[in-house]
Amino acid sequence: MSPGPARGRTPGPDGGGGRRSPVRRWQLVRANADAVPPSARRFMARARQRRMRAALPWAVAAAVLAVVGLVAWTVLGTGLFGVREVRVVGARLVTPVQIRDAAAVPDNEPLARVDLAATARRVGTLPPVASATVEREWPGTLVIRVRERTAVAAVPQGDGFVVVDGSGVVFQRLDRAPDGLPLVKVARPGPDDPGTRAGLAVLAALGEKLRAELVAVDVAGLARITLQLRGERQVFWGDASRGADKSTVATALLSRKADRIDVSAPDVVTFE
């Protein structure tokens, strides 16, 4: 008869007897709350705050750059703020259409991209325009302000007349002589023509009384300038030098009954 199992023994895993195994009791804990000491949690929280504070300026800068880029693209790269109107101020001798054509700014061109100086130079190539300025008026208007040339004399040319300013620039052509302008007779009017400059210098030297009698300044040569006055009278001026003296002497002799007064040497005057 085989002996039975001994008392007080617990069968082992292999069925045999053995000692009783201790019972293990496991407990689950939350690592982020229970397993981490409070001091460590406080340290990590402060570290996160420092990282957030350090990243905040970069985030703000990135947002600002994004907004600036969007605005720049809208203004420079789209027609949202494009040229809708070209307003012309100060034009009398040229039409707004001529100025807009000379400005050559396409419709809907982004207003911010218009080269103001280059546009002003293009408008300034029009003969009657002495100078031009161009301004932006948001959101879509280009304002062109022009200063036109001032007419000081008319020059007979062929079957008509050309109008010149004080520097001799030809800026207008007319079929007949304009009212109120004296004539300057030169062969080749222009700012670089010595005869034109001499004739305009004589014209500028005339006093009010002599100018009121003037019909034309005839520049036959640089030393052969003659004033043609009303009543077919003449004042031989000579060259353009000593204009003020010659004007004073010629004005004083206007009351003399003479068809021709020679003031080319104002210290020794002759008349006939």
Side-chain angles (χ1 to χ4, degrees), residues 55-71:
L56 183 60
W58 294 100
V60 172
V64 170
L65 288 176
V67 172
V68 170
L70 179 61
V71 171

Side-chain angles (χ1 to χ4, degrees), residues 151-177:
V152 298
V155 181
Q157 287 283 287
D159 295 333
F161 298 83
V162 296
V163 179
V164 297
D165 67 358
S167 60
V169 174
V170 175
F171 65 91
Q172 196 175 19
R173 297 184 181 275
L174 302 172
D175 293 332
R176 62 183 184 86

Side-chain angles (χ1 to χ4, degrees), residues 191-240:
D192 298 326
D193 176 53
T196 302
R197 293 199 299 267
L200 294 176
V202 170
L203 188 61
L206 301 183
E208 183 177 350
K209 188 174 181 180
L210 189 59
R211 192 182 181 96
E213 296 293 321
L214 180 69
V215 175
V217 178
D218 187 356
V219 184
L222 294 181
R224 292 184 294 126
I225 301 173
T226 302
L227 305 185
Q228 296 178 354
L229 306 181
R230 299 179 188 275
E232 298 185 355
R233 302 175 71 189
Q234 293 183 344
V235 176
F236 182 67
W237 202 266
D239 59 23

Side-chain angles (χ1 to χ4, degrees), residues 233 248-258 261-263 269-271:
R233 302 175 71 189
T248 300
V249 172
T251 301
L253 296 176
L254 283 179
S255 58
R256 295 291 186 96
K257 292 183 178 181
I261 302 172
D262 187 341
V263 296
V269 179
T270 60
F271 53 90

Side-chain angles (χ1 to χ4, degrees), residues 110-136:
L111 191 59
R113 293 177 56 183
V114 176
D115 189 331
L116 303 184
T119 303
R121 285 194 297 271
R122 290 194 293 269
V123 173
T125 60
L126 294 172
V129 176
S131 64
T133 59
V134 183
E135 304 168 355
R136 298 182 182 93

